[in-house]
């Protein structure tokens, strides 16, 4: 039971860090799909 709770907490922390990173990138004008480098995604960013 305790192991399940610990794994759950770790997963929640990881997901929160990913979402935080995505929000930060979006505020800086980067796309989620190509990192803001339209040369890499063939210009589909903007």
């Amino acid at each position: 039971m305790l192991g399940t709770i610990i794994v759950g907490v770790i997963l929640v922390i990881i997901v929160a860090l990913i979402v935080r990173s995505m929000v930060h990138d979006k505020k800086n004008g980067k796309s989620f799909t190509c990192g803001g480098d339209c040369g890499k995604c063939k210009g589909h960013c903007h």
Side-chain angles (χ1 to χ4, degrees):
M1 178 79 174
L2 184 60
T4 303
I5 293 172
I6 292 172
V7 170
V9 168
I10 291 171
L11 288 175
V12 168
I13 290 171
I14 290 171
V15 169
L17 290 173
I18 291 170
V19 169
R20 180 178 161 208
S21 173
M22 290 172 66
V23 168
H24 183 264
D25 287 347
K26 184 68 175 175
K27 285 183 180 179
N28 287 334
K30 294 182 181 176
S31 171
F32 295 143
T33 57
C34 69
D37 185 2
C38 291
K40 289 184 179 179
C41 69
K42 313 238 185 311
H44 295 114
C45 296
H46 300 282

